[in-house]
Amino acid sequence: MKKYIKLGTAIILALSSLAVTAQIKQLKLNRVEEMPDLPQPLKIIDWKLMAQNFDKTIYNFNAKGDYWPMVWMDSTNKNFNQPVMGIYTAVGDVRQGKNHNKGMFHEALANMGAVMGASLVGIDKSKQNGMNYAAMLKNYFNRDTKWNIMMNNTAPEVALLGGGYGRDWWYDVYPNVLFYAVCEQYPNEKDFDWIAKSIAEKFYKADSILKGDYNYSYFDYGQMKPMKNQICAQQDAAAGHAWVLYAAYKKFGDERYLNGAISAMTALESNKINPTYELLMPFGAYLAARMNAEQGTKFDVQKLLGWTFDGTAVCREGWGVLTGKWNGYDISGVVGSTVDHGGYGFLMNTFDAAWPLIPTVRYDPAYADAIGKWMLNAVNASRFFYPQYMPADRQTIPQFADVTKGVIAYEGFAKTSTFDTLYMDKKGPVAQGDGPKWVPGQNPDVSQFSVYGSGHVGVFGAIVEKTNIEGVLKLDVLATDFYRNKAYPTYLIYNPYNKSKIITYKVKSAKKVDLYDAIAQKFIAKNVLAKSNILIAANQSALIVETPANSKLIKNKGKLLANGIVIDYQKK
């Protein structure tokens, strides 16, 4: 026995020479500091499998069961002479389906999110059972109204039935962010290029007209005029403009779009208060880090991450990232209102925050520990949106769980029921949704189950992979780094434990690689084939870049390149 103990110690000591010792000083985010290192109860579900199951279950026109199928065909041919698939926003929404409102009422947030998410986990939505779901998204390009951007509905006839068509800025901007993501995934799709160009032109001209002042409720992209109404001013629309324009610059090479992105980011950063409204701010934080690394700008990443996380938003009071333990359950990491009924986190917002925040660490590794810790908390808590993972006594309608077929989650969860007079006996976190409030007295209780939010699960599915140590995640930082330059497989691994852990790192490449850690700024393993053991220090991160073995290394303008491809953006 003593011999084995000595041998094990020798192995650990040998591995310790490969341990992650940070050279890049880590910066803290106040909100993340409030989160537990290791959330409890801890359980990491298989998010990729959830995304795959969502796709095959939802995209079934012959599905049986109460309120099924969840999809139908809309043949009104708005904007393009082709049918488009409709998808429910929430289960049983009485405004939707082929027999209501001519089948026209469906949302880009649901449809685009589901196509993007499925594509991220390797499903080809342009050739699925004889259907091209990617091409169908063109119908949200509102050329009939002359806005010539993607919008949340296909036409104004149904706009007032739901949220945010032509009057609520984030609803008009975000479908274009989603479309650009889909566009990169389907580069050969007919019409996608000129549509992407039209969107970029509209956003560039809008930014030029706004001249740094985004203090409006929305922008009329038909008249090209900023507008105010009873809805909050949404200065963070500048983050959406900037993200699309930078993507357009990378796609088309037009320097005007780069200038427009810089202009919009400058407008965003110049705000004196936290202008967070819904979910665009993390795209601003990501873009600040990326443009600083790629273009030499000096945007304040810390400030924009603070606005993303801290819950200090003014007009949309308290919007940010939730923290806390509610009746024995760590709920930290989910995104939503930090003040509504003690806190109300939302599924889609949490999924979509990971999209820009995870690749942020590629360009600014100083936030690796903070983002890694946040993501562990978010991934752990997000299972509670799903009825099969939340105890029945903490759900509003557990008796209807079967209708979800295991792939549709509640829209959110709150510290106490937000229905005020209903479900008041439930202890928080209370899994629930707002669907019944959208059409009071008509929408059924099951409309608390969110199809639109659940469709974005592919973001987690593409990013999150478990390791051999429970709670130590391997996060793919390239998965949602759209329109990036060439890169080698890169993964963020955060150790939440207060002692070092040895993980078995499985290599993506089929050829031998050298493992470079962009936080320690050194190679920690050489000539690795298939897998390698890596020791990660307590409460620290590794940012592993799988570099081809024996690559030619050069330093150039503060970057380290291997065979001409950047592996470290902060090399001094």
Side-chain angles (χ1 to χ4, degrees):
M1 178 63 76
K2 288 182 180 178
K3 288 182 180 178
Y4 287 113
I5 292 172
K6 287 180 181 177
L7 181 60
T9 305
I11 291 171
I12 291 171
L13 287 173
L15 282 167
S16 68
S17 66
L18 302 180
V20 175
T21 8
Q23 296 290 350
I24 298 284
K25 182 182 177 184
Q26 294 298 291
L27 299 176
K28 297 182 184 301
L29 297 175
N30 292 335
R31 199 72 173 163
V32 178
E33 289 295 295
E34 298 174 13
M35 299 178 187
D37 291 333
L38 204 62
Q40 299 296 326
L42 178 66
K43 182 179 176 63
I44 307 300
I45 68 171
D46 188 335
W47 290 101
K48 184 175 183 180
L49 181 62
M50 180 66 80
Q52 293 167 334
N53 286 340
F54 177 89
D55 184 78
K56 72 181 181 184
T57 305
I58 296 295
Y59 284 83
N60 180 357
F61 291 89
N62 300 310
K64 306 299 182 188
D66 293 341
Y67 303 104
W68 289 79
M70 290 292 158
V71 291
W72 70 93
M73 292 308 296
D74 167 7
S75 298
T76 55
N77 294 359
K78 294 293 182 181
N79 302 304
F80 283 85
N81 187 26
Q82 63 172 17
V84 58
M85 186 199 77
I87 182 171
Y88 276 87
T89 297
V91 174
D93 193 316
V94 297
R95 304 165 296 176
Q96 297 183 305
K98 64 183 179 181
N99 298 322
H100 301 100
N101 296 301
K102 301 179 184 177
M104 289 169 52
F105 184 48
H106 43 84
E107 297 188 80
L109 291 185
N111 215 338
M112 288 186 182
V115 169
M116 179 189 76
S119 304
L120 283 171
V121 296
I123 298 167
D124 188 344
K125 299 298 289 183
S126 68
K127 307 177 203 177
Q128 191 177 39
N129 301 321
M131 305 284 263
N132 187 342
Y133 296 108
M136 292 179 189
L137 301 179
K138 293 188 295 189
N139 291 59
Y140 293 105
F141 182 72
N142 275 237
R143 59 180 177 176
D144 292 350
T145 63
K146 309 300 184 191
W147 276 45
N148 290 324
I149 63 169
M150 290 289 176
M151 297 184 73
N152 196 38
N153 303 116
T154 60
E157 291 97 305
V158 292
L160 292 177
L161 292 173
Y165 180 98
R167 64 188 186 277
D168 191 352
W169 207 347
W170 84 270
Y171 266 115
D172 296 332
V173 170
Y174 199 52
N176 298 281
V177 175
L178 286 165
F179 174 72
Y180 256 80
V182 172
C183 190
E184 193 197 37
Q185 293 168 308
Y186 297 94
N188 301 317
E189 197 59 57
K190 184 185 176 192
D191 299 318
F192 273 19
D193 273 7
W194 72 258
I195 289 173
K197 188 81 170 173
S198 170
I199 293 164
E201 286 296 313
K202 285 285 188 175
F203 281 17
Y204 175 75
K205 289 173 185 172
D207 179 80
S208 301
I209 290 165
L210 290 161
K211 292 184 171 61
D213 180 8
Y214 277 74
N215 193 37
Y216 295 93
S217 303
Y218 72 101
F219 193 92
D220 185 321
Y221 295 90
Q223 300 183 68
M224 296 306 291
K225 289 171 55 178
M227 310 291 283
K228 291 186 177 181
N229 57 24
Q230 78 283 1
I231 297 172
C232 280
Q234 297 177 34
Q235 299 96 329
D236 61 345
H241 271 178
W243 189 92
V244 168
L245 286 168
Y246 196 68
Y249 164 66
K250 301 297 284 190
K251 179 176 176 62
F252 297 112
D254 190 327
E255 292 281 340
R256 293 180 306 135
Y257 301 151
L258 172 59
N259 293 333
I262 292 171
S263 170
M265 284 294 294
T266 302
L268 176 68
E269 192 178 85
S270 69
N271 283 282
K272 305 300 182 190
I273 57 152
N274 182 350
T276 293
Y277 184 76
E278 182 78 20
L279 47 63
L280 291 170
M281 188 60 73
F283 290 89
Y286 156 81
L287 204 55
R290 181 172 174 183
M291 292 175 71
N292 288 352
E294 292 186 341
Q295 306 299 331
T297 53
K298 302 292 183 185
F299 293 118
D300 191 339
V301 180
Q302 182 82 19
K303 179 180 185 179
L304 299 181
L305 283 172
W307 282 348
T308 295
F309 278 87
D310 285 350
T312 55
V314 176
C315 191
R316 194 75 178 273
E317 184 190 359
W319 206 259
V321 178
L322 280 66
T323 63
K325 185 184 280 284
W326 296 347
N327 298 307
Y329 286 74
D330 282 318
I331 56 80
S332 292
V334 299
V335 178
S337 172
T338 63
V339 295
D340 186 2
H341 290 76
Y344 190 4
F346 292 92
L347 176 69
M348 187 190 81
N349 297 66
T350 306
F351 284 153
D352 287 12
W355 163 0
L357 289 177
I358 296 304
T360 296
V361 302
R362 256 192 96 211
Y363 304 103
D364 199 338
Y367 295 100
D369 288 358
I371 299 245
K373 180 178 176 179
W374 162 71
M375 188 63 169
L376 171 60
N377 277 274
V379 167
N380 183 66
S382 290
R383 78 181 189 277
F384 295 136
F385 293 112
Y386 290 85
Q388 65 268 40
Y389 295 113
M390 180 68 99
D393 62 355
R394 294 172 187 265
Q395 304 176 43
T396 53
I397 50 170
Q399 68 274 25
F400 295 121
D402 285 352
V403 80
T404 70
K405 298 190 178 184
V407 299
I408 303 174
Y410 286 94
E411 185 182 18
F413 62 66
K415 191 170 187 180
T416 59
S417 165
T418 69
F419 287 90
D420 295 330
T421 58
L422 298 174
Y423 315 115
M424 300 311 294
D425 59 322
K426 303 289 184 179
K427 278 188 177 182
V430 182
Q432 61 155 81
D434 291 337
K437 299 178 183 179
W438 298 340
V439 195
Q442 296 183 56
N443 256 4
D445 289 343
V446 292
S447 62
Q448 295 182 66
F449 294 127
S450 170
V451 185
Y452 84 92
S454 302
H456 294 233
V457 64
V459 174
F460 271 20
I463 291 172
V464 180
E465 183 182 337
K466 297 204 290 185
T467 68
N468 58 306
I469 304 291
E470 185 70 6
V472 179
L473 304 180
K474 182 182 180 187
L475 304 174
D476 186 343
V477 301
L478 300 186
T480 53
D481 190 13
F482 295 109
Y483 299 95
R484 57 173 169 76
N485 296 332
K486 285 184 180 179
Y488 300 121
T490 308
Y491 298 92
L492 171 63
I493 303 168
Y494 173 69
N495 174 14
Y497 293 91
N498 59 9
K499 60 182 180 180
S500 297
K501 292 287 181 180
I502 299 170
I503 69 145
T504 302
Y505 180 92
K506 296 179 181 177
V507 173
K508 182 176 182 179
S509 174
K511 298 180 179 179
K512 284 186 177 181
V513 295
D514 297 335
L515 301 182
Y516 180 81
D517 178 29
I519 299 170
Q521 296 193 306
K522 66 180 182 181
F523 285 95
I524 59 171
K526 294 273 193 170
N527 294 307
V528 177
L529 189 62
K531 61 185 179 180
S532 176
N533 286 335
I534 298 175
L535 186 75
I536 303 182
N539 303 117
Q540 291 187 23
S541 300
L543 184 58
I544 305 295
V545 185
E546 296 181 12
T547 308
N550 304 310
S551 293
K552 180 182 178 182
L553 303 176
I554 61 167
K555 289 183 188 177
N556 184 30
K557 297 179 180 177
K559 301 176 179 65
L560 180 65
L561 293 83
N563 297 341
I565 294 175
V566 177
I567 62 171
D568 188 338
Y569 282 93
Q570 308 291 336
K571 192 70 172 176
K572 302 303 180 188

